[in-house]
Amino acid sequence: MNITLKEVATKNELKAFVHFPNELYKDNPCYVPQIESMDRDTLNPKKNHAFEVCEGKYWLAYDENGRIVGRVAGIINHRYNEKVGEKICRFGFIDFVDNHEVSKALMRAVEQYAKDKGMTMVSGPTGFLEFDAAGILVEGFDKLPTAYGKYNAPYYEQHILDLGYRKEVDFVEYRILVPDVIPERYACFAEVVAEKNELHQAVLHKRSDLNPYLDGVFTCMNAAYSKLHGFSELTPGQCEDLKKQFLGNVNVDFVSIVLDKNEKVVAFGVGLPSLSLAMQKANGSLLPFGFIHILRALKKNDTLDLLLIAIDDEYQNKGVNAMIFDKFAQGIKKNGVKYIESTRELEDNTTVQNLWGRFEHYLHKRARVYSKNI
């Protein structure tokens, strides 16, 4: 196959870049199409505040007939590099047909971009921020991804390994079965933890009740996530982006904000009814009817996706995760949730995994980030 590589430079090319995986996997029952307009905004420096600390380039690969056969992004997060004292170029948004010439051409473009920018390592797949989908799926090809995960065919890993990349870190996903009756001891333990540490839940009846706590939530997040792989402190603009992304969909039944006696946010958790099936029906677009499927999934759903959980260092290992889970449990009972899906988390993140440690659960998806010195 003769491959032609082209850097994305126009709106139409960006549309093609975003659309490619939805076309590549259109007949795959385990693929969840991303909303293309949202992905275009993510990749647009004028609409994504991540570009305050990041830069990037995108490439499309074409075969001899002018058909798109692959895509990839090269991303440099300068704030993260300064934090860890490394010169890392990320690769992300990678998809390709099962042809080694295609994957080789894509990754060579990223590596050359990295060298031109003075980088010494290429790592990925990751996005601009920790909240973008990370990793190549290596287990769970017959499972439906969460809306914040990403599907890829089994052949991806071998292509990346053949190009000299090696495992850097794994992200795992669990499926948790909610028992018909959640034991009362969980609520009792949460009450003991709250009393012992002088903590309490923020009272949330509607979305607007979240507003007084949002700045504290992001302060807590920046502190709690500071040591996580790939995370750099969020700027005010990036916080605003996340507010817009999540607040329109959030159900306060699945939001826990833990406060100390001075009303400071010391921990929080956010879950969201699963949007995977709804996004399959939407098929990459909110219009004309895609948004209807999303709204229905938010109102009635038997599956909850866990999105974000953070606990201030001062309250680590003090049982505060029990308070977060107790709030979720109330929402689970109220809304008839039968299953919980953890979104991708680091394989050694025991703080989050302890939330459901006593429930029936199993690891059913694994995604891998790779790296290579250049």
Side-chain angles (χ1 to χ4, degrees), residues 176 270-272 304-309 328 340-344 352 355-356:
I176 304 99
V270 180
L272 189 71
L304 177 71
D305 290 348
L306 295 181
L307 298 185
L308 300 171
I309 292 176
F328 283 165
I340 300 173
E341 288 274 351
S342 72
T343 47
R344 291 181 181 179
V352 174
L355 282 172
W356 55 78

Side-chain angles (χ1 to χ4, degrees), residues 341-360:
E341 288 274 351
S342 72
T343 47
R344 291 181 181 179
E345 62 196 41
L346 291 168
E347 58 186 334
D348 59 355
N349 190 350
T350 55
T351 298
V352 174
Q353 292 160 17
N354 285 340
L355 282 172
W356 55 78
R358 294 180 180 273
F359 286 3
E360 183 179 351

Side-chain angles (χ1 to χ4, degrees), residues 49-61:
H49 283 90
F51 283 90
E52 294 173 350
V53 298
C54 297
E55 63 176 287
K57 287 187 176 183
Y58 324 128
W59 294 269
L60 285 167

Side-chain angles (χ1 to χ4, degrees), residues 108-129:
R108 290 292 179 262
V110 175
E111 291 171 10
Q112 187 58 55
Y113 169 65
K115 291 176 182 177
D116 292 344
K117 291 291 183 176
M119 302 295 106
T120 58
M121 178 187 293
V122 174
S123 173
T126 51
F128 297 94
L129 303 175

Side-chain angles (χ1 to χ4, degrees), residues 10 33 45 76 79 84 93 95 98 118 147 182 225-226 229 243 273 287 293 307 332-333 357:
T10 68
I76 299 174
R79 173 171 284 195
V84 298
F93 299 90
D95 291 286
D98 190 7
I182 298 176
Y225 287 9
S226 62
H229 177 276
K243 289 179 187 178
L287 299 174
H293 300 301
L307 298 185
I332 286 168
K333 181 179 180 180

Side-chain angles (χ1 to χ4, degrees), residues 84-363:
V84 298
E86 301 282 355
K87 296 179 179 180
I88 302 169
C89 176
R90 305 175 176 197
F91 72 92
F93 299 90
I94 185 166
D95 291 286
F96 47 86
V97 300
D98 190 7
N99 182 291
H100 285 265
E101 292 303 314
V102 176
S103 56
K104 181 179 179 181
L106 291 170
M107 292 307 301
R108 290 292 179 262
V110 175
E111 291 171 10
Q112 187 58 55
Y113 169 65
K115 291 176 182 177
D116 292 344
K117 291 291 183 176
M119 302 295 106
T120 58
M121 178 187 293
V122 174
S123 173
T126 51
F128 297 94
L129 303 175
E130 179 72 12
F131 308 103
D132 298 321
I136 283 175
L137 190 68
V138 295
E139 295 177 18
F141 298 105
D142 59 342
K143 303 295 189 298
L144 192 68
T146 65
Y148 296 92
K150 187 177 182 297
Y151 180 85
N152 60 257
Y155 59 79
Y156 278 41
E157 181 181 35
Q158 192 58 53
H159 282 244
I160 297 301
L161 292 174
D162 288 348
L163 291 169
Y165 288 80
R166 294 295 178 261
K167 174 186 171 179
E168 181 176 333
V169 67
D170 275 7
F171 290 83
V172 294
E173 297 182 51
Y174 290 85
R175 185 168 178 84
I176 304 99
L177 280 62
V178 178
D180 293 335
V181 178
I182 298 176
E184 185 65 27
R185 64 176 180 272
Y186 290 104
C188 293
F189 182 59
E191 186 176 342
V192 169
V193 170
E195 183 176 351
K196 181 178 180 180
N197 294 283
E198 298 184 276
L199 303 175
H200 60 281
Q201 292 276 358
V203 178
L204 306 172
H205 296 296
K206 54 187 183 300
R207 291 173 189 167
S208 59
D209 292 339
L210 293 166
N211 292 330
Y213 307 109
L214 291 179
D215 289 341
V217 163
F218 286 113
T219 298
C220 179
M221 181 190 298
N222 276 331
Y225 287 9
S226 62
K227 298 177 183 178
L228 292 183
H229 177 276
F231 183 82
S232 59
E233 183 178 352
L234 298 172
T235 67
Q238 290 164 5
C239 292
E240 288 302 314
D241 286 344
L242 286 173
K243 289 179 187 178
K244 293 176 184 177
Q245 183 178 355
F246 292 116
L247 277 184
N249 295 330
V250 76
N251 179 339
V252 294
D253 289 343
F254 303 120
V255 178
S256 168
I257 298 179
V258 180
L259 308 171
D260 69 8
K261 61 182 179 181
N262 298 313
E263 300 298 304
K264 174 187 174 183
V265 177
V266 298
F268 72 92
V270 180
L272 189 71
S274 174
L275 299 179
S276 297
L277 292 173
M279 288 175 67
Q280 283 188 328
K281 294 175 182 177
N283 196 30
S285 178
L286 292 175
L287 299 174
F289 304 116
F291 74 96
I292 296 176
H293 300 301
I294 302 294
L295 291 176
R296 286 175 177 169
L298 290 170
K299 290 181 179 179
K300 187 175 182 180
N301 210 310
D302 68 353
T303 303
L304 177 71
D305 290 348
L306 295 181
L307 298 185
L308 300 171
I309 292 176
I311 300 173
D312 187 276
D313 280 350
E314 182 182 349
Y315 292 92
Q316 291 283 347
N317 302 315
K318 293 185 177 181
V320 177
N321 56 344
M323 293 183 64
I324 297 173
F325 180 78
D326 183 52
K327 179 59 163 52
F328 283 165
Q330 296 172 37
I332 286 168
K333 181 179 180 180
K334 176 181 176 181
N335 291 273
V337 172
K338 297 179 179 179
Y339 309 98
I340 300 173
E341 288 274 351
S342 72
T343 47
R344 291 181 181 179
E345 62 196 41
L346 291 168
E347 58 186 334
D348 59 355
N349 190 350
T350 55
T351 298
V352 174
Q353 292 160 17
N354 285 340
L355 282 172
W356 55 78
R358 294 180 180 273
F359 286 3
E360 183 179 351
H361 65 282
Y362 56 96
L363 192 161

